[in-house]
Amino acid sequence: MVNTVFKPMVRVHRSPNHLHSNGVSHHHVAVNILEKKDRFIIELAVPGFEKEEITITLDQNRLVVKGQKKEQTSDNYLRKEWKMSTFEKSFNLGENVAGDKSEALTQNGVLSIIVPKVEKQAPVSVKVN
Amino acid sequence: MSIVKFNPFFPGKVLGNMIEDVFNRGISDIVGSDFAVNVPSVNISENPDSFVMELAAPGLDKGDFNISLDHNKLTVSVEKKSEKEAGEEGKWTRKEFNYSSFKRTFTLTEDVQADRIAASYDKGILTLTLPKKEEARPKPAKTIEIK
């Protein structure tokens, strides 16, 4: 009961920007970021997207993810709470990661981008004679 | 959400920690993981002979879903025991979605053939096809022959 009645209400309150004039659709992409010892894993919720419909570019330290759905089926909707035809999301990568060595994969509607951390250089000790 | 111990003798330190938390973490760490979207949104469309429900619940496996029908109440739920990956530890610096535990119930109309509901999961979308009863489908146009 709490799940079905209370939570959807809270969700609207939490992210008001997903409500447009028609009241229901949104293009907001939810992101999870997991930090591991040697890498970051950025997860984007992209339900319905084929991997061919997603492009990932790295410009300097800016990682940009764009999605564009080829064809949107125009069914007779009785209720429409989500819509994702296009999205764009960008991340600024810090200096401690190797953005050019990133890898990406899609599985079950989640795009995962793995960004390895840069190995810290061991401090060089200079011997004073 | 982390519990910050309040120390009345060092209030400055506590405040300092909290400010650090605010700037270094995602909003879900401050408000709690409940802030993340964890109930899937649904689209329902109507075709001449069926209703189609699409729940956007990325990141799951087909076997994670429980779909049950009690009279005209259709319930879709997921209850994953643990999402921890074996071995390696990590920390979430941002968590905006998590569909590992939710429940949504829908009330079906009498037009639906309850025993013929079909479900599939593809690219993070759970699609339920609910066929209409014969009498609820639009009748095909009938030509009347002139004798």
Side-chain angles (χ1 to χ4, degrees), chain B residues 8-19:
Chain B
F9 299 104
F10 299 98
K13 191 169 179 280
V14 175
L15 187 64
N17 282 345
M18 287 180 81
I19 288 170

Side-chain angles (χ1 to χ4, degrees), chain A residues 31-33 35 78 81 108, chain B residues 34 42 44 60 91 93 96:
Chain A
V31 176
N32 291 342
I33 301 174
E35 182 177 357
L78 303 174
E81 292 179 351
N108 292 332
Chain B
D34 195 42
V42 66
I44 303 173
L60 297 170
K91 71 167 186 184
T93 55
E96 292 178 350

Side-chain angles (χ1 to χ4, degrees), chain B residues 12 21 33-34 39 53 66 98 106-107 118 126 136 139:
Chain B
D21 282 357
S33 63
D34 195 42
V39 177
M53 292 172 50
N66 283 310
N98 176 16
F106 305 91
T107 306
L126 177 74
K139 305 276 180 294

Side-chain angles (χ1 to χ4, degrees), chain A residues 109-128:
Chain A
V110 176
L111 170 71
S112 300
I113 306 169
I114 298 137
V115 188
K117 290 185 185 175
V118 179
E119 276 180 48
K120 281 194 187 114
Q121 300 256 318
V124 182
S125 56
V126 180
K127 208 177 175 185
V128 180

Side-chain angles (χ1 to χ4, degrees), chain B residues 9-99:
Chain B
F9 299 104
F10 299 98
K13 191 169 179 280
V14 175
L15 187 64
N17 282 345
M18 287 180 81
I19 288 170
E20 196 183 296
D21 282 357
V22 170
F23 289 110
N24 290 343
R25 294 184 183 186
I27 193 81
S28 55
D29 293 292
I30 301 155
V31 189
S33 63
D34 195 42
F35 186 84
V37 175
N38 49 17
V39 177
S41 300
V42 66
N43 288 346
I44 303 173
S45 59
E46 184 175 0
N47 299 317
D49 52 3
S50 65
F51 295 98
V52 177
M53 292 172 50
E54 296 167 303
L55 279 90
L60 297 170
D61 288 309
K62 194 173 76 173
D64 294 331
F65 291 94
N66 283 310
I67 304 163
S68 64
L69 187 70
D70 181 16
H71 295 94
N72 63 341
K73 294 259 190 282
L74 179 73
T75 303
V76 179
S77 63
V78 167
E79 193 65 60
K80 279 182 97 167
K81 288 282 177 284
S82 173
E83 351 167 53
K84 274 186 185 163
E85 277 181 57
E88 205 182 353
E89 294 221 343
K91 71 167 186 184
W92 295 99
T93 55
R94 193 199 285 211
K95 190 118 176 131
E96 292 178 350
F97 70 94
N98 176 16
Y99 297 102

Side-chain angles (χ1 to χ4, degrees), chain A:
Chain A
M1 203 62 189
V2 171
N3 259 330
T4 51
V5 179
F6 188 57
K7 282 202 171 143
M9 223 164 67
V10 176
R11 202 176 62 220
V12 173
H13 180 69
R14 281 164 181 168
S15 55
N17 60 346
H18 86 245
L19 281 175
H20 293 301
S21 51
N22 62 3
V24 275
S25 58
H26 65 96
H27 296 251
H28 172 75
V29 181
V31 176
N32 291 342
I33 301 174
L34 178 64
E35 182 177 357
K36 297 232 178 191
K37 215 170 89 183
D38 59 347
R39 63 195 187 278
F40 286 91
I41 301 168
I42 305 170
E43 295 179 343
L44 288 89
V46 289
F49 276 83
E50 301 276 358
K51 67 175 182 185
E52 292 78 18
E53 294 166 333
I54 300 168
T55 56
I56 305 167
T57 51
L58 183 71
D59 183 14
Q60 307 299 327
N61 63 343
R62 198 171 179 81
L63 186 74
V64 181
V65 185
K66 285 183 191 177
Q68 172 86 55
K69 278 219 75 74
K70 284 185 196 114
E71 196 64 47
Q72 199 77 0
T73 49
S74 56
D75 282 314
N76 186 13
Y77 282 102
L78 303 174
R79 181 196 281 240
K80 204 158 168 75
E81 292 179 351
W82 60 275
K83 180 187 171 188
M84 274 185 73
S85 48
T86 59
F87 71 87
E88 183 171 338
K89 197 95 191 171
S90 59
F91 304 88
N92 283 323
L93 303 181
E95 283 176 6
N96 58 337
V97 294
D100 55 331
K101 294 195 176 76
S102 300
E103 288 173 26
L105 62 113
T106 54
Q107 194 184 20
N108 292 332
V110 176
L111 170 71
S112 300
I113 306 169
I114 298 137
V115 188
K117 290 185 185 175
V118 179
E119 276 180 48
K120 281 194 187 114
Q121 300 256 318
V124 182
S125 56
V126 180
K127 208 177 175 185
V128 180
N129 289 314

